[in-house]
Amino acid sequence: MTSVQGTPVDIATADGVADAYLARPDDGLPHPGVLLYQDAFGLRPHLRSMADRLAGEGYTVLVPNVFYRHGRSPVFDLPEFIDTDARPDLWSAIGPVMQSLTPELAMRDAGAYLAFLAESPYVTEGPVALTGYCMGARLAVLTAGTYPDRVAAAAGFHGGRLATDAPDSPHRVAAHITAELYFGHADEDPSMPPEQIRLLADTLTEAGVRHHGEVYPGAHHGYTQADTAAYHHEATERHWAALLDLLKRTF
């Protein structure tokens, strides 16, 4: 695996400055760009380590703090090991911040993140890939539909509420998506039940979107996050294999 350099960066947006983490191969050369969207707990050491692992495979990876309007990361006072059953109070802090990030605001920010990658000397020319976790899976789908000319592939892992009857449900942007999509759904995830998985797949198929979705048995919502109680090692390694396969096909 390639040696990696990780640095904090700031990204100017229409509403302020988003702090972010940029990981890239330590060779000074441009590499395909990947925008990594966080889960609800935010930009923290574990997400930086995920970005480093991707960078070690030959990609330049940007992880923005999508909650930057509420402060620089870490936005929340998180324990080293996150167990929301033991700390239910965490959701009282995180919930309102999540809800304040409307699709409109998130997609305005996405334009700034994509522009940062397009202008970076460490990113090759052309469209980039996305990968998102939990709420980040929603952002990945919305970004693919909002900026189709900038996104070549997008993956979502243990995403919830991707295909609901809400007017801003992510699946509703399917007609605009030109990227190839991959989803690794959690088997034990009430926020993404079988009927939503079916609706998402049917909508993408009807729109002619190249896509593939799998349900990871025994995995819970948040299974890739090793610093949480939801972590599932086998599902996480399956996620890495699927994500890297998608990126290799794309670039």
Side-chain angles (χ1 to χ4, degrees):
M1 187 172 288
T2 307
S3 62
V4 168
Q5 181 172 336
T7 55
V9 295
D10 284 345
I11 301 171
T13 75
D15 299 322
V17 176
D19 57 303
Y21 179 72
L22 186 72
R24 59 181 176 83
D26 191 18
D27 56 10
L29 300 174
H31 295 271
V34 178
L35 174 58
L36 191 159
Y37 276 127
Q38 65 176 61
D39 63 354
F41 300 124
L43 180 54
R44 60 195 192 281
H46 175 64
L47 287 187
R48 294 184 184 93
S49 71
M50 292 183 75
D52 289 347
R53 180 165 173 175
L54 260 185
E57 297 288 345
Y59 303 98
T60 295
V61 187
L62 179 68
V63 191
N65 166 24
V66 303
F67 295 148
Y68 71 88
R69 291 176 181 84
H70 299 268
R72 297 179 72 86
S73 57
V75 175
F76 310 112
D77 182 18
L78 297 171
E80 188 172 332
F81 181 77
I82 304 167
D83 183 351
T84 53
D85 287 339
R87 287 282 309 276
D89 59 299
L90 286 174
W91 288 123
S92 63
I94 296 171
V97 174
M98 286 181 63
Q99 292 168 11
S100 71
L101 185 65
T102 63
E104 180 185 7
L105 291 178
M107 290 306 97
R108 197 154 74 207
D109 294 340
Y113 306 148
L114 293 171
F116 177 90
L117 288 170
E119 295 163 7
S120 172
Y122 303 114
V123 179
T124 53
E125 292 185 7
V128 302
L130 317 172
T131 183
Y133 302 87
C134 297
M135 63 167 280
R138 290 174 53 86
L139 297 179
V141 175
L142 290 171
T143 301
T146 306
Y147 300 94
D149 60 328
R150 292 290 305 127
V151 179
F157 298 95
H158 46 80
R161 299 184 58 78
L162 297 180
T164 72
D165 57 4
D168 60 357
S169 175
H171 80 292
R172 299 188 188 279
V173 303
H176 305 290
I177 294 174
T178 57
E180 179 180 354
L181 305 187
Y182 174 86
F183 298 96
H185 303 295
D187 185 30
E188 309 287 334
D189 189 352
S191 70
M192 195 64 192
E195 56 269 23
Q196 280 196 48
I197 293 174
R198 284 194 298 270
L199 177 57
L200 176 64
D202 290 347
T203 304
L204 293 172
T205 298
E206 185 176 345
V209 178
R210 292 167 297 152
H211 69 95
H212 183 58
E214 299 178 295
V215 177
Y216 293 10
H220 291 259
H221 186 79
Y223 61 77
T224 61
Q225 304 302 298
D227 59 349
T228 75
Y231 178 65
H232 189 291
H233 176 74
E234 291 79 9
T236 297
E237 291 308 306
R238 182 175 175 180
H239 131 273
W240 281 117
L243 176 58
L244 292 173
D245 184 55
L246 176 66
L247 295 178
K248 288 173 183 174
R249 287 200 307 275
T250 301
F251 300 116

